[in-house]
DNA sequence: CTTGACCCTCCCATGATGGGAGACCCCACA
DNA sequence: TGTGGGGTCTCCCATCATGGGAGGGTCAAG
């Protein structure tokens, strides 16, 4: 299977398929003409990566997850630990974003939002309040 | 005032002070020796930028906000519109992150997290469920 | 033999930030 | 007058994941 078909089968762009190989996440064989050749296992790896990316795992985490996945005897605790660590990071980021949104919404609530130049949002950014 | 003092006074790193100049957000004067020279207004701009960055405004938005800030006759509606648009973007991102965290937490809840190799998290990434 | 789809590698861009090299400037102190 | 140290200059590179595009090779069908 060439890269195009592997990309379609996995839902990963060709660009990223090559990139994942470049950083050592998979090692497809090569044909005589230099084309990459993907077997079923390679496509499975690509799907695994895509699903992990859908959950926003960084590629370095995915590298570890792939190693655990390939290790039939791994302890599920290791995977769970990695996952929970990532959950904490996601929730922390979400909290931070939500806090910024709330602050800004609060400011906007006190802004007329009409033709007048008076604007608490700009006032706040200017630093009258911090 | 040299760049070091302006950086300390505004809470922006020297690196970023230079970068903001490079992308045209401020235009400090130059001394005879080539050193940048910052006046009170420049520091105010840097503080403005920092506060906007604290709210995760992209620099392109900050460019517009600065223009509105400098325009004494602007309508507050414009600022408010920009802000609310940004609020929506922040909330959308926060929602997405929270959704990923929830999915992953759900998976982790079904993972023993012990010595056994059995792991619903890896199973899910593998694609048995997607 | 041409056409078109596919594949290759290499370079560049994003957005915001930082690290570091190599060189220059300036002031204080001996 | 010389030197040391701190401040500043520009330029290049790295991050993270992703994509765009150039320039060229490969292959199968017409």
């Amino acid at each position: 299977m060439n890269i195009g078909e592997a990309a379609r089968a996995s839902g990963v762009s060709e660009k990223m398929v090559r990139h994942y190989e470049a950083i050592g996440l998979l090692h497809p064989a090569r044909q005589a003409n230099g084309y990459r050749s993907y077997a079923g296992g390679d496509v499975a790896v690509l799907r695994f990566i895509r699903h992990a990316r859908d959950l926003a795992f960084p590629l370095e985490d995915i590298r570890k997850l792939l190693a655990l996945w390939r290790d039939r005897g791994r302890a599920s605790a290791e995977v769970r630990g990695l996952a929970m660590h990532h959950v904490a990071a996601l929730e922390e980021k979400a909290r931070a974003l939500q806090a910024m949104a709330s602050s800004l919404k609060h400011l906007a609530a006190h802004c007329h939002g009409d033709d007048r130049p008076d604007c608490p949002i700009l006032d706040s950014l200017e630093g009258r309040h911090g």
Side-chain angles (χ1 to χ4, degrees), chain A:
Chain A
M1 184 184 328
N2 284 344
I3 195 171
E5 196 180 343
R8 282 187 296 275
S10 63
V12 175
S13 74
E14 291 186 23
K15 277 282 190 195
M16 293 317 295
V17 171
R18 293 195 191 93
H19 181 61
Y20 295 155
E21 176 184 356
I23 64 174
L25 297 189
L26 74 166
H27 308 279
R30 292 282 179 145
Q31 293 165 308
N33 59 13
Y35 287 17
R36 291 168 179 82
S37 185
Y38 298 85
D42 294 316
V43 174
V45 167
L46 289 172
R47 283 215 195 90
F48 184 100
I49 295 173
R50 182 170 67 81
H51 293 146
R53 285 297 300 145
D54 286 348
L55 291 172
F57 275 102
L59 289 178
E60 282 314 304
D61 281 17
I62 296 177
R63 186 190 305 279
K64 294 172 200 157
L65 288 171
L66 278 171
L68 291 169
W69 184 41
R70 287 192 261 250
D71 177 3
R72 306 238 148 234
R74 86 267 163 172
S76 61
E78 267 194 86
V79 180
R80 195 167 189 266
L82 236 165
M84 292 310 288
H85 198 268
H86 183 50
V87 164
L90 288 173
E91 291 189 330
E92 174 58 32
K93 269 192 198 172
R95 255 193 305 276
L97 291 177
Q98 191 56 59
M100 291 186 280
S102 297
S103 295
L104 199 46
K105 235 179 348 183
H106 184 73
L107 287 175
H110 293 281
C111 176
H112 311 302
D114 56 18
D115 288 348
R116 284 174 286 179
D118 198 64
C119 182
I121 299 171
L122 290 180
D123 291 350
S124 171
L125 291 176
E126 186 175 337
R128 286 186 203 166
H129 313 291

